[in-house]
């Protein structure tokens, strides 16, 4: 059904997918794709729209300007193989990663559950926002010229280890492992973040990192809904003490602050 809809679609069209599992097709058109959600929840009236394997978007010969995907579960990696501009990936779940293989500009990944957000050593990310996401890994492997903002997220590994200019704001980092012996890359900036105190015994913040306010805490003590940072479908990631752990925008650090941890996709008219 998705392949038929894709074949009939033109640039700028909207495809609305029902609950169910679909076989993916390489997407080389500027589309808006809405699914029913990535988790089934009767209370919020969401269901699961899934692609049965990896999804590839774009190719090396085209620039997609204005691509939008929302409310979809990808059983694998979401690959962007061509240049991407002014695009959004919202309220999606990739069982592995989101991987950018070409330069991107003004791209938002928001309220998603994903593994890692990855580039390559030559990919320039000019304005990548990763916001209110749960990452079982981290954001890494972009070129030095990149500028990325990771805001109100939860990262389950070290923040990053590459040379990209990454601004971490209002984010929780629960892990500490890094081949470079540091929690963040040397060109990073940290503002109002929480780090797992256990990581600080072994992995440091490099001396040339721009550091604002941060907290080194026992991760098991900060959440109101569990004594860990593990993902479950019912987690809200609300903090016990949001006044102490307040972000740059005055809301709680982590996914519960900012735009909030909202997984319900838009309902297009």
């Amino acid at each position: 059904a998705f392949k038929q809809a894709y074949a009939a679609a033109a640039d700028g069209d909207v495809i609305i997918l029902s609950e169910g599992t679909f076989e993916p097709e390489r997407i080389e058109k500027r589309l808006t794709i809405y699914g029913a959600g990535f988790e089934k929840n009767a209370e919020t009236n969401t269901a699961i729209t899934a692609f049965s394997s990896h999804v590839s978007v774009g190719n090396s010969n085209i620039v997609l300007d204005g691509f939008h995907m929302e409310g979809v579960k990808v059983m694998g990696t979401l690959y962007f193989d061509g240049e991407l501009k002014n695009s959004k990936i919202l309220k999606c779940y990739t069982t592995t990663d989101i991987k950018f293989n070409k330069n991107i500009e003004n791209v938002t990944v928001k309220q998603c559950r994903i593994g890692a957000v990855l580039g390559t050593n030559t990919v320039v990310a000019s304005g990548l926002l990763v916001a209110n996401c749960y990452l079982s890994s981290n954001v890494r492997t972009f070129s030095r010229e990149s500028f990325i903002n990771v805001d109100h997220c939860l990262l389950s590994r070290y923040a990053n280890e590459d040379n990209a200019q990454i601004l971490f704001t209002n984010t929780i980092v629960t892990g500490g492992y890094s081949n470079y012996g540091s929690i963040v890359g040397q060109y990073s900036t940290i503002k109002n973040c929480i780090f797992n105190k256990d990581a600080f015994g072994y992995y440091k913040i490099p001396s040339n990192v721009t550091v604002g306010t941060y907290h080194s805490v026992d991760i098991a003590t900060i959440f109101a809904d569990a004594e860990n940072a593990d993902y479950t479908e019912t987690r809200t990631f609300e903090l016990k003490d949001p006044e102490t752990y307040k972000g740059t925008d005055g809301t709680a650090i982590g996914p519960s602050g900012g735009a909030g941890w909202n997984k319900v996709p838009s309902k297009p008219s």
Side-chain angles (χ1 to χ4, degrees):
F2 174 70
K3 289 189 173 185
Q4 292 173 343
Y6 177 78
D11 276 343
D13 280 356
V14 177
I15 294 177
I16 302 173
L17 298 174
S18 64
E19 174 184 3
T21 301
F22 299 86
E23 185 179 346
E25 176 80 5
R26 177 178 285 275
I27 300 169
E28 297 181 344
K29 300 174 184 178
R30 179 174 52 83
L31 300 176
T32 295
I33 300 171
Y34 289 102
F38 67 77
E39 291 174 352
K40 192 173 184 67
N41 188 313
E43 191 173 311
T44 58
N45 194 30
T46 56
I48 299 175
T49 299
F51 285 116
S52 59
S53 63
H54 306 300
V55 174
S56 296
V57 180
N59 66 54
S60 59
N61 298 316
I62 62 174
V63 178
L64 282 183
D65 191 335
F67 178 79
H68 184 112
M69 180 181 284
E70 184 169 349
V72 173
K73 179 179 182 179
V74 177
M75 303 296 291
T77 298
L78 177 58
Y79 290 100
F80 290 92
D81 293 327
E83 291 190 41
L84 190 68
K85 294 183 177 180
N86 305 312
S87 297
K88 294 181 178 181
I89 303 98
L90 308 178
K91 302 176 183 182
C92 289
Y93 172 24
T94 62
T95 60
T96 49
D97 306 320
I98 294 177
K99 178 73 184 298
F100 298 102
N101 290 316
K102 293 292 182 180
N103 293 349
I104 61 174
E105 181 181 333
N106 190 26
V107 173
T108 296
V109 180
K110 189 173 184 180
Q111 293 170 326
C112 293
R113 178 187 174 189
I114 43 188
V117 176
L118 302 169
T120 74
N121 290 328
T122 60
V123 165
V124 178
S126 301
L128 169 61
L129 171 64
V130 183
N132 291 93
C133 291
Y134 179 94
L135 291 86
S136 59
S137 186
N138 52 21
V139 179
R140 67 181 191 274
T141 322
F142 288 89
S143 74
R144 173 71 177 86
E145 295 78 16
S146 299
F147 179 76
I148 300 163
N149 183 197
V150 179
D151 182 61
H152 283 292
C153 289
L154 192 154
L155 310 181
S156 299
R157 293 182 69 191
Y158 57 90
N160 73 305
E161 64 182 12
D162 56 330
N163 293 326
Q165 300 176 81
I166 301 184
L167 169 63
F168 292 95
T169 52
N170 316 314
T171 287
I172 300 171
V173 181
T174 68
Y177 171 78
S178 166
N179 292 332
Y180 293 91
S182 61
I183 297 172
V184 295
Q186 61 179 333
Y187 298 107
S188 299
T189 299
I190 301 164
K191 293 183 178 179
N192 293 57
C193 292
I194 292 174
F195 292 91
N196 185 350
K197 72 172 186 179
D198 293 339
F200 277 78
Y202 304 95
Y203 305 105
K204 307 299 182 183
I205 294 177
S207 59
N208 55 336
V209 167
T210 303
V211 178
T213 301
Y214 72 90
H215 307 272
S216 173
V217 303
D218 181 351
I219 294 297
T221 67
I222 64 170
F223 294 109
D225 60 346
E227 294 183 350
N228 56 58
D230 298 340
Y231 185 89
T232 69
E233 293 183 2
T234 59
R235 289 296 301 265
T236 63
F237 300 106
E238 293 180 11
L239 302 182
K240 290 180 180 178
D241 189 357
E243 286 300 312
T244 297
Y245 304 117
K246 187 178 292 187
T248 57
D249 58 358
T251 67
I253 294 172
S256 68
W261 180 234
N262 182 352
K263 299 175 283 185
V264 181
S266 303
K267 303 289 185 183
S269 56

